[in-house]
Amino acid sequence: DGLCAEGLGLSRSQLTMGTLLQGRAASSSAEHWPEFAPRSLGDAPALRELLLRPLRQSDGPSGEGGECGYVSLLAQLSHAPPLEPATFAAQLAAGSGGAKITAVVERRENGALVGCGTVLRDCHVTDETPYDVALIEDVVVDASMRGTGLGGALVNALLDIAAFAGARKAVLNCKESTVGFYRRCGLASTGEVNLAVYFGDAQRSSAGDRDDS
């Protein structure tokens, strides 16, 4: 039960939120994970100079962005130990064309990464459609861009990617402190509570998991 789980070090702070994806464009071939072309995130002044694109190998430990690379960005959400370039490349290759797609947001002027998020196919569904539900995770907005509207634009773009992949519904897990933000993005609580534990030094920080509009 809950008390037993908490005694084992599990946290009850992860809440599940979701939304139906009706009205968003879908691929005519949902069984194939889509590649998406780089795109703008909007015409607002803060978003105009940003570009959403797929994660690539140069975003890793030896990428042009240096400290602004993907691993450093992800560390603003949770503990992200250093990765060797070969390890990052192998992980990227394993996910390519498979069950997930990671999108990053870069500044057009210098390629620095200021946001990211991942969409996962969820195969644990009872519907005959194989990828009916998509799971969104690791949504991060760089500290320099919080409060600019990037968070909402990024979540909306991830929902579009999930819909294009053929998902009918998208879900994500979040802290109670960010429920208001995700509600403004159109998601609603499912009433489910997830338990999580982080090992060793892998303690989730509040830097990347905060209310950003």
Side-chain angles (χ1 to χ4, degrees):
D1 59 19
L3 291 177
C4 179
E6 289 180 347
L8 294 174
L10 293 166
S11 169
R12 301 181 64 182
S13 63
Q14 297 293 308
L15 308 177
T16 300
M17 303 188 72
T19 183
L20 296 177
L21 299 174
Q22 296 173 338
R24 296 176 184 265
S27 170
S28 60
S29 182
E31 68 271 16
H32 297 296
W33 194 241
E35 292 292 335
F36 68 93
R39 67 185 72 171
S40 170
L41 282 170
D43 294 326
L47 305 179
R48 197 173 298 143
E49 298 305 317
L50 302 178
L51 187 71
L52 181 81
R53 61 167 175 79
L55 180 70
R56 59 193 182 207
Q57 186 169 341
S58 61
D59 299 319
S62 61
E64 297 176 358
E67 293 184 357
C68 294
Y70 174 67
V71 176
S72 297
L73 182 63
L74 200 61
Q76 297 186 46
L77 175 66
S78 62
H79 178 75
L83 286 177
E84 293 295 328
T87 302
F88 179 83
Q91 292 181 357
L92 182 63
S96 178
K100 71 176 183 179
I101 188 167
T102 297
V104 296
V105 181
E106 71 173 17
R107 296 185 186 275
R108 294 177 188 268
E109 60 180 0
N110 58 14
L113 300 188
V114 295
C116 65
T118 295
V119 181
L120 296 171
R121 288 173 169 179
D122 186 358
C123 297
H124 299 87
V125 293
T126 57
D127 192 279
E128 61 183 16
T129 303
Y131 303 114
D132 192 55
V133 180
L135 174 65
I136 295 176
E137 65 175 20
D138 293 340
V139 180
V140 186
V141 171
D142 184 72
S144 67
M145 291 296 296
R146 292 176 192 150
T148 64
L150 173 56
L154 176 57
V155 171
N156 185 63
L158 294 172
L159 294 176
D160 281 343
I161 292 172
F164 188 75
R168 301 178 186 176
K169 179 181 180 180
V171 297
L172 57 80
N173 298 320
C174 68
K175 288 186 176 181
E176 191 169 357
S177 60
T178 58
V179 167
F181 163 67
Y182 286 113
R183 280 179 177 163
R184 293 195 296 275
C185 293
L187 288 89
S189 174
T190 65
E192 298 178 13
V193 177
N194 287 283
L195 302 176
V197 63
Y198 298 92
F199 299 103
D201 294 329
Q203 299 296 321
R204 191 168 293 268
S205 69
S206 60
D209 192 7
R210 56 183 285 183
D211 190 331
D212 169 66
S213 57

